[in-house]
Amino acid sequence: MCCCPTRWASWRTCRSAAGATRAAPSPHLIKELRMPDTGLPTLHPNPALERILRGPSGLGTAGLHLGAVPVETASPAEPVALPEPAEPAEPTKPAEAAGPVGPAELAVPAVPAEGTPIPGLYHHAVPEPDPARVAEVSRRIKAWAVDEVQAFPPEWEDQFDGFSVGRYMVACHPDAPSVDHLMIATRLMVAENAVDDCYCEDHGGSPVGLGSRLLLAHTALDDLHTTEEYEPAWRESLKADAPRRAYRSAMAYFLQHASPSQADRFRHDMARLHLGYLAEAAWSETDHVPEVWEYLAMRQFNNFRPCPTITDTVGGYELPADLHALAAMQRVIALAGNATTVVNDLYSYTKELDSPGRHLNLPVVIAEREGVSDRDAYLKGVEVHNDLMHAFEAEAAALAAACPVPSVLRFLRGVAVWVDGNHYWHQTNTYRYSLPDFW
C-alpha cells in the first residue's frame, strides 16, 4: 500500500463515500440517477455522469482529455454534451461476405458499412474512428499475426480481415496517446480470439479437454515458476500452437507499458474469462441448458471484462490498485462487462443459429427456460441489456460523485467509451453479424 498521505486520504475518502452511497442512497440521488423504464430510454442530463464523459477539468488535468494538447498550451476544457441514444432503425439484410484480401489491400481497410442498430437497444452513437489510425493499426496487427505469431493459416485470412479488429480497437480507445498504445489492446484482442476460436469454438474447438488447454495457455500470461530441470519444456510449449504463441507475444508487449499491478489485474481478469469458458464447456458436454440467472452468471466470467479494464494502460496512465479494488468500482466494471457481453449475444444471434450444434446465448436460454417464442425471448434479451446499461450508468455516476479522483474519473470514462465502441463495432460489422427478422 502506498504510504503517500495524499493518496491514502483520497483512498479513505473514496472508500468511505462509496460505501456510504451503496449502504444508504438518498431518494433524491436514486431519482436523479434512474433511467426511464418504458419505451426507448433517453438519457437525462446528470452532472455526475457528464463529469465522467467529459473527464476532469482544472489545473493540471488537461493531459487527461482525449486529443489533449501539452499542458503548457492547453486551453480550459469545454463541457461535452452527452450523446443521445440512437433512434431505432429498420434492420438491413446481411452484407455479402468479402473474399480473401490481397496484399495490396491490407494497408487501407474498406470503408465500413453503416450497419443497423438493434431496434430498442439502449446505446450511444460514437464518432467514426480515425481512419489513419485504423489503417495503421490494421497494417501492424496483420503483420504481427502473420509474421510474429502465425495466428492463423492462409485459408482464414478473409475471416481475420472481416473481424476489423483495427477499427474495433480505435473506436474503443480514442484516448490512446499513440498507435503503440492501441496495439497493446489490439494484440490482446486477437490473442483472446485465437484461444476462443481454436480451443472453444469455430476452428477445432471442443469442450473435451478444454481445462487442460486453457490452463497451459494461461501460463503464457502468468509464468510457471518451477525447477531448472522442467522450465525448458514449459518454455518450449509456449510455441506449440497459435493461441499460446499469441498470448505470449501479446503479453510481452503489454508488459512493456503496464505496471506490475496492471499486469496482475489483467491476469486475474483472464483467469475469470477462462473459468467462464469452462462452465460453458461443461454445459455443452452434457447438453444442459442453464437457468437464465445461471447463464448470466457464466457470462459475467465468459465476458469482455479483460478488454475495458486495460483502458488505463492503453491510455498511458494508471488507476491505482486500491481504487480499482473498491467494491463500487468492481460493480461498475462487472455491469459494463455484462452489458457489452449481452450486446454480443444479441448481434451474434443469427450467426450462432446458423452454426452447427446448439450455441447458448441469452435469447436461446430465455426461450428454453421461460417457454416463450424466439422473438419474445430476443426482445426480452434487449430489455436485460437495457437494464444492465442503466445500472452501469447510474452506478458509475454515483461512484464519480463519491470519489472524484482524476484517475477514477478518467477510468470510468474510459470504460464508458469502451462500452460505446464495442456496440459500434458490433453494429457496423456486417461481415459477421446480421439481425433477425423480428420487427
Side-chain angles (χ1 to χ4, degrees), residues 186-325:
T186 311
R187 291 188 199 92
L188 289 172
M189 175 63 78
V190 170
E192 290 155 21
N193 275 274
V195 169
D196 192 23
D197 285 348
C198 297
Y199 285 180
C200 307
E201 296 207 13
D202 299 337
H203 296 295
S206 167
V208 179
L210 180 60
S212 173
R213 296 192 297 275
L214 287 176
L215 184 145
L216 296 178
H218 196 84
T219 68
L221 308 172
D222 197 347
D223 283 3
L224 172 65
H225 299 278
T226 188
T227 65
E228 291 185 7
E229 178 182 359
Y230 297 111
E231 182 175 338
W234 164 68
R235 290 196 177 278
E236 187 64 25
S237 76
L238 300 177
K239 308 171 189 175
D241 56 25
R244 280 182 274 187
R245 291 192 299 270
Y247 262 5
R248 190 62 172 176
S249 176
M251 190 67 182
Y253 282 105
F254 176 69
L255 292 175
Q256 293 175 15
H257 296 268
S259 71
S261 66
Q262 287 173 318
D264 191 59
R265 180 204 306 169
F266 177 74
R267 293 186 185 103
H268 188 188
D269 283 345
M270 290 301 293
R272 295 172 191 258
L273 176 67
H274 295 156
L275 180 62
Y277 285 168
L278 291 174
E280 186 172 16
W283 292 335
S284 176
E285 282 195 279
T286 59
D287 198 29
H288 173 68
V289 178
E291 298 290 345
V292 176
W293 74 265
E294 292 175 322
Y295 176 80
L296 291 171
M298 181 274 291
R299 284 302 250 165
Q300 183 164 303
F301 292 83
N302 179 0
N303 179 296
F304 283 111
R305 180 187 176 114
C307 305
T309 53
I310 62 169
T311 184
D312 54 339
T313 306
V314 178
Y317 68 99
E318 180 173 8
L319 176 70
D322 46 12
L323 298 179
H324 172 264

